[in-house]
């Protein structure tokens, strides 16, 4: 997604709406990733150099997480504590992904690139969500 597209998505006079949009985008991308892992764990596992069992487990976890984030995005004013939990979970996911890549995983080149890219995307979601939460609440976050 380009900077222009993000600016267009964020453009609103209502800070809660911007926050809800970033949460919904996170839920949609995470849900799509979950579905891919669940439906294509074998072929994706071979392509990424990950076991299909790992991808199935991650897919199930991500499906539940995406559902929870989607429910949060559907609220007219998402609670700050819940949004902070999403931000922190996203940052933890990114950190664990990079640590696992360095210490545990032995992916293909495509898998290594995918792991780094998804860590950056998830970090981006966390930063956008945090910024939107700050804008909604002033600078008291």
């Amino acid at each position: 997604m380009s900077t222009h597209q993000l600016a267009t998505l964020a453009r609103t006079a209502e800070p809660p709406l911007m926050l809800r949009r970033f949460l919904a985008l996170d839920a949609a991308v995470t849900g799509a990733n979950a579905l891919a892992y669940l439906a294509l764990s074998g072929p994706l596992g071979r392509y990424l150099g990950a076991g299909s069992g790992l991808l199935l487990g991650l897919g199930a976890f991500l499906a539940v997480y995406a559902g929870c984030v989607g429910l949060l995005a559907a609220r007219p004013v998402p609670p700050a504590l819940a949004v902070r939990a999403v931000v922190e979970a996203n940052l933890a996911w990114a950190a664990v992904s990079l640590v696992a890549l360095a210490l545990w995983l032995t992916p293909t080149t495509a898998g290594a690139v995918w792991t780094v890219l998804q860590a950056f995307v998830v970090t981006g979601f966390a930063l956008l969500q945090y910024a939107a939460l700050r804008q909604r609440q002033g600078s008291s976050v």
Side-chain angles (χ1 to χ4, degrees), residues 56-71:
L56 283 172
L58 289 174
F61 171 79
L62 290 174
V64 171
Y65 182 76
C68 291
V69 175
L71 288 173

Side-chain angles (χ1 to χ4, degrees), residues 110-136:
V113 169
W114 174 253
T115 301
V116 171
L117 286 177
Q118 63 84 28
F120 284 136
V121 168
V122 171
T123 299
F125 283 141
L127 295 175
L128 290 168
Q129 292 156 352
Y130 182 73
L133 181 62
R134 284 181 54 101
Q135 183 178 357
R136 185 183 82 183

